[in-house]
Amino acid sequence: MVRGLGLAPIVGAALDGQHAGILCLASLLLITLTRVLAVAVCHISRNRFRTLIYCYCAALLYIPVYVLLYNLFGSDLNVLGIYLPILVVEPVVIKRMEFTELEPLRDALRHGFNNSLGMCAALLIVGCLRELLASGTVFGHTVLHTALLPLAAQPAGGFVLAGVLAAVWCAAANAYTEYKQEEVRRLYAGRKH
């Protein structure tokens, strides 16, 4: 989210906790399975045509994932509109994070699952916060009796919320990095080399 990767589904479709949950499950299945299948095919092709392999694997896996989600959620899936098919290009973005050398299938599963969990966390945080701010509910349960920020239900509110969360995440990560660097400096300051 900080780099703008996967921002369209987060801002456009994570309007509430329920839609964020559906997208979370879809990204977990699609991104993880695509990475594993693409790495398996890349092992067979001796790591040639990786970009095409990732694209075709994502497109191939989209249909069974869509059918599974439709069986689970029914017509609620239609509310997501174009943002569910946009997840097909997400594995191509995640492919850019792949190591230079072809990774083993076990590592592909782990990395794909970890990337999916990050996407799920972003979707659920943004979806639940938008629902809370826009209508005072979380997963349809009333938490507040007033809407604090009705703009949160609109795409502009999603961009603002995603930007604020990305800024908070960067600030926390920078503070942690500075803390660790200062800790190392203090630890090694008294030692002579």
Side-chain angles (χ1 to χ4, degrees):
M1 195 167 63
V2 171
R3 294 181 182 140
L5 306 176
L7 201 56
I10 293 171
V11 170
L15 302 174
D16 56 22
Q18 180 184 3
H19 294 113
I22 295 170
L23 274 172
C24 177
L25 182 59
S27 66
L28 190 66
L29 291 170
L30 196 59
I31 293 172
T32 303
L33 295 176
T34 298
R35 184 145 186 175
V36 171
L37 181 61
V39 167
V41 173
C42 283
H43 278 288
I44 294 168
S45 70
R46 297 185 183 169
N47 211 13
R48 288 179 277 180
F49 312 113
R50 285 189 341 188
T51 304
L52 287 174
I53 289 171
Y54 270 80
C55 292
Y56 282 120
C57 287
L60 179 71
L61 289 170
Y62 173 75
I63 294 172
V65 167
Y66 181 85
V67 169
L68 176 68
L69 291 173
Y70 189 79
N71 287 332
L72 290 173
F73 300 108
S75 63
D76 288 343
L77 196 60
N78 295 333
V79 176
L80 299 179
I82 189 69
Y83 297 105
L84 189 59
I86 282 178
L87 287 176
V88 170
V89 298
E90 280 304 307
V92 177
V93 172
I94 290 177
K95 186 252 173 237
R96 290 176 44 201
M97 296 179 203
E98 185 179 302
F99 304 110
T100 309
E101 295 295 320
L102 191 57
E103 61 190 344
L105 286 177
R106 179 183 67 252
D107 291 346
L109 177 65
R110 186 171 46 88
H111 292 135
F113 186 73
N114 289 343
N115 289 329
S116 300
L117 285 181
M119 181 81 166
C120 285
L123 284 165
L124 290 173
I125 290 169
V126 170
C128 290
L129 278 175
R130 285 178 80 176
E131 183 180 4
L132 180 67
L133 294 173
S135 63
T137 61
V138 176
F139 288 107
H141 302 291
T142 303
V143 176
L144 302 171
H145 295 289
T146 182
L148 298 175
L149 183 65
L151 175 69
Q154 303 299 320
F159 276 112
V160 169
L161 190 57
V164 168
L165 288 173
V168 168
W169 178 260
C170 285
N174 289 340
Y176 178 74
T177 302
E178 288 175 18
Y179 167 75
K180 291 307 264 182
Q181 288 173 345
E182 186 61 35
E183 188 176 299
V184 169
R185 278 190 211 109
R186 272 187 270 130
L187 182 64
Y188 290 106
R191 294 186 181 183
K192 294 183 179 183
H193 299 288

